[in-house]
Coordinates of all heavy atoms in Angstrom, one line a residue:
M22 N 0.8 -1.2 0.0 CA 0.0 0.0 0.0 C 0.9 1.2 0.0 O 2.0 1.2 0.5 CB -0.9 0.0 1.2 CG -1.9 1.0 1.3 SD -3.1 0.9 -0.1 CE -3.8 2.5 -0.1
A23 N 0.4 2.3 -0.6 CA 1.1 3.5 -0.7 C 1.2 4.2 0.7 O 0.4 4.2 1.5 CB 0.4 4.5 -1.7
N24 N 2.4 4.9 0.9 CA 2.6 5.6 2.1 C 2.5 7.1 1.9 O 2.1 7.8 2.8 CB 4.0 5.3 2.6 CG 4.1 3.9 3.2 OD1 3.1 3.4 3.7 ND2 5.3 3.3 3.0
I25 N 2.8 7.6 0.7 CA 2.8 9.0 0.4 C 1.4 9.5 0.1 O 0.6 8.7 -0.5 CB 3.7 9.4 -0.7 CG1 5.2 9.0 -0.3 CG2 3.7 10.8 -1.1 CD1 6.1 9.0 -1.5
A26 N 1.0 10.6 0.6 CA -0.4 11.1 0.5 C -0.8 11.2 -1.0 O -2.0 10.8 -1.3 CB -0.5 12.5 1.1
S27 N 0.0 11.7 -1.9 CA -0.4 11.8 -3.3 C -0.6 10.4 -3.9 O -1.4 10.2 -4.7 CB 0.7 12.5 -4.1 OG 1.9 11.9 -4.0
A28 N 0.2 9.4 -3.5 CA 0.1 8.0 -4.0 C -1.2 7.4 -3.4 O -1.9 6.7 -4.2 CB 1.3 7.2 -3.6
K29 N -1.6 7.7 -2.2 CA -2.8 7.2 -1.6 C -4.0 7.8 -2.4 O -5.0 7.1 -2.7 CB -2.9 7.6 -0.2 CG -2.0 6.9 0.8 CD -2.2 7.3 2.2 CE -1.2 6.6 3.1 NZ -1.3 7.1 4.5
K30 N -3.9 9.1 -2.7 CA -5.0 9.7 -3.5 C -5.1 9.1 -4.9 O -6.2 8.8 -5.4 CB -4.7 11.2 -3.6 CG -5.8 12.0 -4.4 CD -5.5 13.4 -4.4 CE -6.6 14.2 -5.2 NZ -6.3 15.6 -5.3
R31 N -4.0 8.8 -5.5 CA -4.0 8.2 -6.8 C -4.6 6.8 -6.8 O -5.4 6.5 -7.7 CB -2.5 8.0 -7.3 CG -2.0 9.2 -8.2 CD -2.6 9.0 -9.5 NE -2.5 10.3 -10.2 CZ -3.5 10.9 -10.9 NH1 -4.6 10.2 -11.1 NH2 -3.4 12.0 -11.5
A32 N -4.3 6.1 -5.7 CA -4.9 4.7 -5.6 C -6.4 4.8 -5.4 O -7.2 4.0 -6.0 CB -4.3 4.0 -4.4
R33 N -6.9 5.8 -4.6 CA -8.3 6.0 -4.4 C -9.0 6.4 -5.8 O -10.0 5.8 -6.1 CB -8.6 7.1 -3.4 CG -8.5 6.8 -2.0 CD -9.2 7.8 -1.1 NE -8.9 9.2 -1.4 CZ -7.8 9.9 -0.9 NH1 -7.0 9.3 -0.1 NH2 -7.6 11.2 -1.3
Q34 N -8.4 7.3 -6.5 CA -8.9 7.7 -7.8 C -9.0 6.6 -8.8 O -10.0 6.4 -9.5 CB -8.1 8.9 -8.4 CG -8.3 10.2 -7.6 CD -7.4 11.3 -8.2 OE1 -6.3 11.0 -8.7 NE2 -7.8 12.5 -8.0
A35 N -7.9 5.8 -8.8 CA -7.9 4.7 -9.7 C -9.0 3.7 -9.4 O -9.6 3.1 -10.4 CB -6.5 4.0 -9.7
E36 N -9.2 3.4 -8.2 CA -10.3 2.5 -7.8 C -11.6 3.0 -8.2 O -12.5 2.2 -8.7 CB -10.2 2.2 -6.3 CG -11.2 1.2 -5.7 CD -11.1 -0.2 -6.3 OE1 -10.1 -0.5 -6.9 OE2 -12.1 -1.0 -6.1
E37 N -11.9 4.3 -7.9 CA -13.2 4.9 -8.3 C -13.4 4.8 -9.8 O -14.5 4.4 -10.3 CB -13.2 6.3 -7.9 CG -13.4 6.5 -6.4 CD -13.1 8.0 -5.9 OE1 -13.0 8.8 -6.8 OE2 -13.2 8.2 -4.7
R38 N -12.3 5.1 -10.6 CA -12.4 5.0 -12.1 C -12.7 3.6 -12.5 O -13.5 3.3 -13.4 CB -11.2 5.5 -12.7 CG -11.1 7.0 -12.7 CD -10.0 7.5 -13.6 NE -9.9 9.0 -13.4 CZ -9.0 9.6 -12.7 NH1 -8.1 8.9 -12.0 NH2 -8.9 10.9 -12.6
R39 N -12.0 2.6 -11.9 CA -12.1 1.2 -12.2 C -13.6 0.7 -12.0 O -14.2 0.1 -12.9 CB -11.2 0.3 -11.4 CG -11.2 -1.1 -11.8 CD -10.4 -2.0 -10.8 NE -11.0 -2.1 -9.5 CZ -12.0 -3.0 -9.2 NH1 -12.5 -3.8 -10.1 NH2 -12.5 -3.0 -8.0
L40 N -14.2 1.1 -10.9 CA -15.6 0.7 -10.7 C -16.5 1.4 -11.6 O -17.5 0.8 -12.1 CB -15.9 1.1 -9.2 CG -15.2 0.2 -8.2 CD1 -15.5 0.8 -6.8 CD2 -15.5 -1.2 -8.3
R41 N -16.3 2.7 -11.9 CA -17.1 3.4 -12.9 C -17.0 2.8 -14.3 O -18.0 2.6 -14.9 CB -16.7 4.9 -12.9 CG -17.8 5.8 -13.4 CD -17.4 7.3 -13.3 NE -17.1 7.7 -11.9 CZ -15.9 8.3 -11.6 NH1 -15.0 8.6 -12.5 NH2 -15.7 8.6 -10.3
N42 N -15.8 2.5 -14.7 CA -15.6 1.9 -16.0 C -16.2 0.5 -16.1 O -16.8 0.1 -17.1 CB -14.1 1.8 -16.4 CG -13.5 3.2 -16.6 OD1 -14.3 4.2 -16.9 ND2 -12.2 3.3 -16.6
K43 N -16.1 -0.2 -15.0 CA -16.7 -1.6 -15.0 C -18.2 -1.5 -15.2 O -18.8 -2.3 -16.0 CB -16.4 -2.2 -13.6 CG -16.9 -3.6 -13.4 CD -16.5 -4.1 -12.0 CE -17.1 -5.4 -11.7 NZ -16.8 -5.9 -10.3
S44 N -18.9 -0.6 -14.6 CA -20.3 -0.4 -14.7 C -20.7 0.0 -16.1 O -21.6 -0.6 -16.7 CB -20.8 0.7 -13.7 OG -22.1 1.0 -14.0
R45 N -19.9 0.9 -16.7 CA -20.2 1.4 -18.1 C -19.9 0.3 -19.1 O -20.7 0.1 -20.1 CB -19.4 2.6 -18.4 CG -19.9 3.8 -17.6 CD -19.0 5.0 -17.9 NE -19.5 6.2 -17.2 CZ -18.8 7.2 -16.8 NH1 -17.6 7.3 -17.2 NH2 -19.4 8.3 -16.2
R46 N -18.9 -0.5 -18.9 CA -18.6 -1.6 -19.8 C -19.7 -2.7 -19.7 O -20.1 -3.2 -20.7 CB -17.2 -2.2 -19.4 CG -16.7 -3.2 -20.4 CD -15.4 -3.8 -20.1 NE -14.4 -2.7 -20.1 CZ -13.7 -2.3 -19.0 NH1 -13.9 -2.9 -17.8 NH2 -12.8 -1.4 -19.1
S47 N -20.2 -2.9 -18.5 CA -21.3 -3.9 -18.3 C -22.6 -3.4 -19.0 O -23.3 -4.2 -19.7 CB -21.6 -4.1 -16.8 OG -22.7 -4.9 -16.6
E48 N -22.8 -2.1 -18.9 CA -24.0 -1.5 -19.6 C -23.9 -1.7 -21.1 O -24.9 -2.0 -21.8 CB -24.1 0.0 -19.3 CG -25.2 0.7 -19.9 CD -25.2 2.2 -19.7 OE1 -24.1 2.7 -19.3 OE2 -26.2 2.9 -20.1
M49 N -22.7 -1.5 -21.6 CA -22.5 -1.6 -23.1 C -22.7 -3.1 -23.5 O -23.4 -3.4 -24.5 CB -21.1 -1.2 -23.4 CG -20.7 -1.3 -24.9 SD -19.0 -1.0 -25.3 CE -18.3 -2.5 -24.7
R50 N -22.2 -4.0 -22.8 CA -22.3 -5.4 -23.1 C -23.8 -5.9 -23.0 O -24.2 -6.6 -23.9 CB -21.5 -6.3 -22.2 CG -20.0 -6.2 -22.5 CD -19.2 -6.9 -21.4 NE -17.8 -6.8 -21.7 CZ -16.8 -7.0 -20.8 NH1 -17.1 -7.4 -19.6 NH2 -15.5 -6.9 -21.2
T51 N -24.5 -5.4 -22.1 CA -25.9 -5.7 -21.9 C -26.7 -5.2 -23.1 O -27.6 -5.9 -23.6 CB -26.5 -5.1 -20.6 OG1 -25.7 -5.6 -19.5 CG2 -27.9 -5.4 -20.4
S52 N -26.4 -4.0 -23.5 CA -27.1 -3.4 -24.7 C -26.9 -4.2 -26.0 O -27.8 -4.4 -26.8 CB -26.8 -1.9 -24.9 OG -25.4 -1.8 -25.3
M53 N -25.6 -4.7 -26.1 CA -25.3 -5.5 -27.2 C -26.0 -6.9 -27.2 O -26.5 -7.4 -28.2 CB -23.8 -5.8 -27.3 CG -23.0 -4.5 -27.7 SD -21.3 -4.6 -27.5 CE -20.9 -6.0 -28.5
K54 N -26.1 -7.4 -26.0 CA -26.9 -8.7 -25.8 C -28.3 -8.6 -26.2 O -29.0 -9.5 -26.7 CB -26.7 -9.2 -24.4 CG -25.3 -9.8 -24.1 CD -25.2 -10.3 -22.7 CE -23.7 -10.6 -22.4 NZ -23.6 -10.9 -20.9
K55 N -28.9 -7.4 -25.9 CA -30.3 -7.2 -26.2 C -30.5 -7.2 -27.7 O -31.6 -7.7 -28.2 CB -30.8 -5.8 -25.6 CG -31.0 -5.8 -24.1 CD -31.4 -4.5 -23.6 CE -31.6 -4.5 -22.1 NZ -31.9 -3.2 -21.6
V56 N -29.6 -6.7 -28.4 CA -29.7 -6.7 -29.9 C -29.6 -8.1 -30.4 O -30.4 -8.6 -31.2 CB -28.6 -5.9 -30.6 CG1 -28.6 -6.0 -32.1 CG2 -28.7 -4.4 -30.1
L57 N -28.6 -8.9 -29.9 CA -28.5 -10.3 -30.3 C -29.7 -11.1 -30.0 O -30.1 -12.0 -30.7 CB -27.2 -10.9 -29.7 CG -25.9 -10.2 -30.1 CD1 -24.7 -10.8 -29.3 CD2 -25.7 -10.3 -31.6
K58 N -30.3 -10.9 -28.8 CA -31.5 -11.6 -28.4 C -32.6 -11.3 -29.3 O -33.4 -12.2 -29.7 CB -31.9 -11.2 -27.0 CG -33.0 -12.0 -26.4 CD -33.3 -11.6 -25.0 CE -34.4 -12.4 -24.4 NZ -34.8 -12.0 -23.0
A59 N -32.8 -10.0 -29.7 CA -33.9 -9.7 -30.6 C -33.6 -10.3 -32.0 O -34.6 -10.7 -32.7 CB -34.0 -8.1 -30.7
V60 N -32.4 -10.3 -32.4 CA -32.1 -10.9 -33.7 C -32.4 -12.4 -33.7 O -32.9 -13.0 -34.6 CB -30.6 -10.7 -34.1 CG1 -30.1 -11.6 -35.3 CG2 -30.3 -9.2 -34.4
K61 N -32.1 -13.1 -32.6 CA -32.3 -14.5 -32.4 C -33.8 -14.8 -32.5 O -34.2 -15.9 -33.1 CB -31.7 -15.0 -31.1 CG -31.6 -16.5 -31.0 CD -30.8 -16.9 -29.8 CE -30.6 -18.4 -29.7 NZ -29.9 -18.8 -28.6
T62 N -34.6 -14.0 -31.9 CA -36.1 -14.2 -32.0 C -36.6 -13.9 -33.4 O -37.8 -14.3 -33.7 CB -36.8 -13.4 -30.9 OG1 -36.6 -12.0 -31.2 CG2 -36.4 -13.7 -29.5
G63 N -35.9 -13.1 -34.2 CA -36.3 -12.8 -35.5 C -37.2 -11.6 -35.6 O -37.8 -11.3 -36.6
D64 N -37.3 -10.8 -34.6 CA -38.1 -9.6 -34.5 C -37.3 -8.4 -35.1 O -36.5 -7.8 -34.3 CB -38.6 -9.3 -33.1 CG -39.6 -8.2 -33.0 OD1 -39.9 -7.6 -34.1 OD2 -40.1 -7.9 -31.9
H65 N -37.5 -8.0 -36.3 CA -36.7 -7.0 -37.0 C -36.9 -5.6 -36.3 O -35.9 -4.9 -36.1 CB -37.1 -6.9 -38.4 CG -36.3 -5.9 -39.2 ND1 -34.9 -5.9 -39.3 CD2 -36.7 -4.7 -39.8 CE1 -34.5 -4.9 -40.0 NE2 -35.5 -4.1 -40.3
D66 N -38.2 -5.3 -36.0 CA -38.4 -4.0 -35.4 C -37.8 -3.8 -34.0 O -37.2 -2.8 -33.7 CB -39.9 -3.7 -35.3 CG -40.6 -3.6 -36.6 OD1 -39.9 -3.1 -37.6 OD2 -41.8 -3.9 -36.7
Q67 N -37.9 -4.9 -33.2 CA -37.3 -4.9 -31.9 C -35.8 -4.8 -32.0 O -35.1 -4.1 -31.2 CB -37.7 -6.2 -31.1 CG -37.2 -6.3 -29.8 CD -37.9 -5.4 -28.8 OE1 -39.0 -5.0 -29.0 NE2 -37.3 -5.1 -27.7
A68 N -35.2 -5.6 -33.0 CA -33.8 -5.6 -33.1 C -33.3 -4.2 -33.6 O -32.2 -3.8 -33.1 CB -33.4 -6.7 -34.2
Q69 N -34.0 -3.6 -34.4 CA -33.6 -2.3 -34.9 C -33.6 -1.2 -33.8 O -32.7 -0.4 -33.7 CB -34.6 -1.8 -36.0 CG -33.9 -1.0 -37.1 CD -34.8 -0.9 -38.3 OE1 -36.0 -1.0 -38.2 NE2 -34.2 -0.5 -39.4
Q70 N -34.7 -1.3 -33.0 CA -34.8 -0.4 -31.8 C -33.7 -0.7 -30.8 O -33.0 0.3 -30.3 CB -36.1 -0.6 -31.2 CG -36.4 0.4 -30.1 CD -37.8 0.2 -29.5 OE1 -38.6 -0.6 -30.0 NE2 -38.2 1.0 -28.5
A71 N -33.4 -1.9 -30.5 CA -32.3 -2.3 -29.6 C -30.9 -1.8 -30.2 O -30.1 -1.4 -29.4 CB -32.3 -3.8 -29.3
Y72 N -30.8 -1.9 -31.5 CA -29.5 -1.5 -32.2 C -29.3 0.0 -32.0 O -28.2 0.4 -31.7 CB -29.6 -1.9 -33.7 CG -28.4 -1.4 -34.4 CD1 -27.1 -1.9 -34.3 CD2 -28.5 -0.3 -35.3 CE1 -26.0 -1.4 -34.9 CE2 -27.4 0.2 -35.9 CZ -26.2 -0.4 -35.8 OH -25.1 0.1 -36.4
R73 N -30.4 0.7 -32.2 CA -30.2 2.2 -32.1 C -29.8 2.6 -30.7 O -28.9 3.4 -30.5 CB -31.5 2.9 -32.4 CG -31.7 3.1 -33.9 CD -32.9 4.1 -34.2 NE -33.7 3.5 -35.3 CZ -34.9 3.0 -35.1 NH1 -35.4 2.9 -34.0 NH2 -35.5 2.5 -36.2
S74 N -30.4 2.0 -29.6 CA -30.0 2.3 -28.3 C -28.6 1.8 -28.0 O -27.8 2.4 -27.2 CB -31.0 1.8 -27.3 OG -31.0 0.4 -27.3
A75 N -28.2 0.6 -28.6 CA -26.9 0.1 -28.3 C -25.8 1.0 -28.9 O -24.7 1.1 -28.4 CB -26.8 -1.3 -28.9
V76 N -26.1 1.5 -30.1 CA -25.1 2.4 -30.8 C -24.8 3.6 -29.9 O -23.6 4.0 -29.7 CB -25.7 2.9 -32.1 CG1 -24.9 4.1 -32.7 CG2 -25.6 1.7 -33.1
R77 N -25.8 4.2 -29.2 CA -25.6 5.3 -28.3 C -24.7 4.9 -27.2 O -23.7 5.7 -26.8 CB -26.9 5.8 -27.8 CG -27.8 6.5 -28.8 CD -29.0 7.2 -28.1 NE -30.0 7.4 -29.1 CZ -31.1 6.7 -29.2 NH1 -31.4 5.7 -28.4 NH2 -32.0 7.0 -30.1
V78 N -24.9 3.8 -26.6 CA -24.1 3.3 -25.5 C -22.7 3.0 -25.9 O -21.7 3.3 -25.2 CB -24.8 2.1 -24.8 CG1 -23.9 1.5 -23.7 CG2 -26.2 2.4 -24.3
I79 N -22.5 2.4 -27.1 CA -21.2 2.0 -27.6 C -20.4 3.3 -27.9 O -19.2 3.4 -27.5 CB -21.3 1.1 -28.8 CG1 -21.9 -0.2 -28.4 CG2 -20.0 1.0 -29.5 CD1 -22.3 -1.1 -29.6
D80 N -21.1 4.3 -28.5 CA -20.4 5.5 -28.8 C -20.0 6.3 -27.6 O -18.9 6.8 -27.5 CB -21.3 6.4 -29.7 CG -21.3 6.0 -31.1 OD1 -20.4 5.3 -31.6 OD2 -22.3 6.3 -31.8
R81 N -20.8 6.2 -26.6 CA -20.5 6.9 -25.3 C -19.3 6.2 -24.6 O -18.4 6.9 -24.1 CB -21.8 6.8 -24.4 CG -21.7 7.9 -23.3 CD -23.0 7.8 -22.4 NE -24.2 7.7 -23.1 CZ -25.2 6.8 -22.9 NH1 -25.1 6.0 -21.9 NH2 -26.3 6.8 -23.6
S82 N -19.3 4.9 -24.7 CA -18.1 4.2 -24.1 C -16.8 4.5 -24.8 O -15.8 4.7 -24.2 CB -18.3 2.7 -24.2 OG -19.4 2.3 -23.5
A83 N -16.9 4.7 -26.2 CA -15.7 5.0 -26.9 C -15.3 6.5 -26.6 O -14.1 6.7 -26.4 CB -16.0 4.9 -28.4
N84 N -16.2 7.4 -26.5 CA -15.9 8.8 -26.2 C -15.3 8.9 -24.8 O -14.4 9.8 -24.6 CB -17.1 9.7 -26.3 CG -17.5 9.9 -27.7 OD1 -16.7 9.7 -28.7 ND2 -18.8 10.2 -27.9
R85 N -15.7 8.1 -23.9 CA -15.2 8.2 -22.5 C -13.9 7.4 -22.3 O -13.3 7.3 -21.2 CB -16.2 7.6 -21.5 CG -17.4 8.6 -21.4 CD -18.5 8.0 -20.5 NE -19.5 9.0 -20.2 CZ -20.7 8.8 -19.8 NH1 -21.0 7.5 -19.5 NH2 -21.5 9.7 -19.5
G86 N -13.4 6.7 -23.4 CA -12.1 6.0 -23.3 C -12.2 4.6 -22.7 O -11.2 4.1 -22.3
I87 N -13.4 4.1 -22.6 CA -13.6 2.8 -22.0 C -13.2 1.7 -23.0 O -12.5 0.7 -22.7 CB -15.0 2.6 -21.5 CG1 -15.2 3.5 -20.3 CG2 -15.2 1.1 -21.0 CD1 -16.7 3.7 -19.9
I88 N -13.5 2.0 -24.3 CA -13.1 1.1 -25.4 C -12.5 2.0 -26.5 O -12.8 3.2 -26.5 CB -14.2 0.2 -25.9 CG1 -15.3 1.1 -26.5 CG2 -14.7 -0.8 -24.9 CD1 -16.4 0.3 -27.3
H89 N -11.7 1.4 -27.3 CA -11.1 2.1 -28.4 C -12.1 2.4 -29.5 O -13.1 1.6 -29.7 CB -9.9 1.3 -29.0 CG -9.0 2.0 -29.9 ND1 -9.3 2.2 -31.3 CD2 -7.9 2.7 -29.7 CE1 -8.4 2.9 -31.9 NE2 -7.5 3.2 -30.9
K90 N -12.0 3.5 -30.2 CA -13.0 3.9 -31.3 C -13.1 2.8 -32.4 O -14.2 2.6 -32.9 CB -12.6 5.2 -31.9 CG -11.3 5.3 -32.6 CD -11.1 6.7 -33.1 CE -9.8 6.8 -33.9 NZ -9.9 6.3 -35.3
N91 N -12.0 2.1 -32.7 CA -12.1 1.1 -33.7 C -12.9 -0.1 -33.2 O -13.6 -0.8 -33.9 CB -10.7 0.6 -34.1 CG -10.0 1.7 -34.9 OD1 -10.6 2.7 -35.3 ND2 -8.7 1.5 -35.2
K92 N -12.7 -0.4 -31.9 CA -13.5 -1.5 -31.3 C -15.0 -1.2 -31.3 O -15.8 -2.0 -31.6 CB -13.0 -1.8 -29.9 CG -13.8 -3.0 -29.3 CD -13.2 -3.3 -27.9 CE -14.0 -4.5 -27.3 NZ -13.4 -5.0 -26.1
A93 N -15.3 0.1 -31.1 CA -16.7 0.5 -31.1 C -17.2 0.4 -32.5 O -18.4 -0.1 -32.7 CB -16.8 2.0 -30.6
A94 N -16.5 0.8 -33.5 CA -16.9 0.7 -34.9 C -17.1 -0.8 -35.3 O -18.1 -1.1 -36.0 CB -15.9 1.3 -35.8
R95 N -16.2 -1.6 -34.8 CA -16.3 -3.1 -35.1 C -17.6 -3.7 -34.5 O -18.4 -4.4 -35.2 CB -15.1 -3.8 -34.6 CG -15.1 -5.3 -34.9 CD -13.8 -5.9 -34.5 NE -13.6 -5.9 -33.1 CZ -12.6 -5.3 -32.5 NH1 -11.7 -4.6 -33.2 NH2 -12.4 -5.4 -31.2
H96 N -17.9 -3.3 -33.3 CA -19.1 -3.8 -32.7 C -20.4 -3.3 -33.4 O -21.3 -4.1 -33.7 CB -19.2 -3.4 -31.2 CG -18.3 -4.1 -30.3 ND1 -18.3 -5.5 -30.2 CD2 -17.5 -3.7 -29.3 CE1 -17.4 -5.9 -29.3 NE2 -16.9 -4.8 -28.7
K97 N -20.4 -2.0 -33.7 CA -21.6 -1.5 -34.4 C -21.8 -2.1 -35.8 O -22.9 -2.4 -36.1 CB -21.4 0.0 -34.5 CG -21.5 0.8 -33.2 CD -21.6 2.3 -33.4 CE -20.3 2.8 -34.0 NZ -20.4 4.3 -34.1
S98 N -20.7 -2.3 -36.5 CA -20.7 -2.9 -37.8 C -21.3 -4.4 -37.7 O -22.2 -4.7 -38.5 CB -19.3 -2.9 -38.4 OG -19.4 -3.6 -39.7
R99 N -20.8 -5.1 -36.8 CA -21.2 -6.5 -36.7 C -22.7 -6.6 -36.3 O -23.5 -7.5 -36.8 CB -20.3 -7.3 -35.7 CG -19.0 -7.6 -36.3 CD -18.1 -8.3 -35.4 NE -16.7 -8.4 -35.9 CZ -15.7 -8.9 -35.3 NH1 -15.8 -9.2 -34.0 NH2 -14.5 -9.0 -35.9
L100 N -23.1 -5.8 -35.3 CA -24.5 -5.8 -34.9 C -25.4 -5.3 -36.0 O -26.5 -5.9 -36.2 CB -24.7 -4.8 -33.7 CG -24.1 -5.3 -32.4 CD1 -24.2 -4.2 -31.3 CD2 -24.7 -6.6 -31.9
N101 N -25.0 -4.3 -36.7 CA -25.8 -3.8 -37.9 C -26.0 -4.9 -38.9 O -27.0 -5.0 -39.5 CB -25.1 -2.6 -38.5 CG -26.1 -1.8 -39.4 OD1 -27.3 -1.9 -39.3 ND2 -25.5 -1.2 -40.4
A102 N -24.9 -5.7 -39.2 CA -25.0 -6.7 -40.2 C -26.0 -7.8 -39.8 O -26.8 -8.3 -40.6 CB -23.6 -7.4 -40.4
K103 N -26.1 -8.1 -38.5 CA -27.0 -9.1 -38.0 C -28.5 -8.5 -38.1 O -29.4 -9.3 -38.4 CB -26.7 -9.5 -36.6 CG -25.4 -10.3 -36.6 CD -25.0 -10.8 -35.2 CE -23.7 -11.5 -35.3 NZ -23.3 -12.2 -34.2
V104 N -28.6 -7.3 -37.7 CA -30.0 -6.7 -37.8 C -30.4 -6.6 -39.3 O -31.6 -6.9 -39.6 CB -30.0 -5.3 -37.2 CG1 -31.3 -4.6 -37.4 CG2 -29.7 -5.4 -35.7
R105 N -29.5 -6.2 -40.2 CA -29.9 -6.1 -41.6 C -30.2 -7.5 -42.2 O -31.0 -7.6 -43.2 CB -28.8 -5.4 -42.4 CG -28.7 -3.9 -42.1 CD -27.5 -3.3 -42.7 NE -27.6 -3.4 -44.2 CZ -28.1 -2.4 -45.0 NH1 -28.5 -1.3 -44.4 NH2 -28.1 -2.6 -46.3
S106 N -29.6 -8.5 -41.7 CA -29.9 -9.9 -42.2 C -31.3 -10.3 -42.0 O -31.9 -11.2 -42.7 CB -28.9 -10.9 -41.6 OG -29.2 -11.1 -40.2
L107 N -32.0 -9.7 -41.0 CA -33.4 -10.0 -40.7 C -34.3 -9.4 -41.7 O -35.4 -9.9 -42.0 CB -33.8 -9.5 -39.3 CG -33.2 -10.2 -38.1 CD1 -33.7 -9.5 -36.8 CD2 -33.6 -11.6 -38.1
A108 N -33.9 -8.3 -42.4 CA -34.8 -7.6 -43.3 C -35.0 -8.3 -44.6 O -35.9 -8.1 -45.3 CB -34.2 -6.2 -43.6
V109 N -34.1 -9.3 -44.9 CA -34.2 -10.0 -46.1 C -35.3 -11.0 -46.1 O -35.9 -11.4 -45.3 CB -32.8 -10.7 -46.4 CG1 -32.9 -11.6 -47.6 CG2 -31.7 -9.7 -46.6

């Protein structure tokens, strides 16, 4: 454990950020699972609506630095491909 006051503060801040990021990452994964669940049931309208909300959450995660912007783009692209496959 840190002995210096500034190091103690850094440890506290790091722990707070870790918990916050954990929550946001979990929210992102849940939103992606909702899209996949809607695709699995074959409900195009539900999948499209879930995709729109997932995109917002994914973009927010990328902007906050929780995931890289390219990872966000990859997730959105793959989800969109699955949703579009229902329209056929």
Side-chain angles (χ1 to χ4, degrees):
M22 186 63 197
N24 288 327
I25 298 168
S27 60
K29 288 179 183 178
K30 181 178 178 181
R31 268 282 160 223
R33 277 196 317 270
Q34 289 176 332
E36 180 65 13
E37 288 169 4
R38 285 193 185 99
R39 185 186 71 82
L40 293 173
R41 202 175 301 127
N42 290 343
K43 182 180 173 184
S44 171
R45 289 176 178 160
R46 191 176 297 116
S47 174
E48 179 190 10
M49 182 187 72
R50 288 176 179 158
T51 302
S52 68
M53 291 169 57
K54 285 177 190 175
K55 286 180 183 175
V56 176
L57 296 175
K58 185 177 178 183
V60 167
K61 194 172 183 179
T62 60
D64 188 358
H65 181 66
D66 294 332
Q67 180 76 22
Q69 215 168 19
Q70 186 177 357
Y72 173 74
R73 277 193 223 106
S74 63
V76 166
R77 288 187 200 107
V78 175
I79 292 169
D80 284 338
R81 201 178 314 133
S82 296
N84 288 337
R85 289 176 171 163
I87 294 166
I88 60 170
H89 193 273
K90 64 184 179 77
N91 290 353
K92 182 174 182 173
R95 182 173 66 243
H96 283 311
K97 291 189 297 185
S98 175
R99 288 178 183 171
L100 289 174
N101 192 29
K103 290 182 182 187
V104 171
R105 288 173 62 94
S106 70
L107 289 177
V109 175

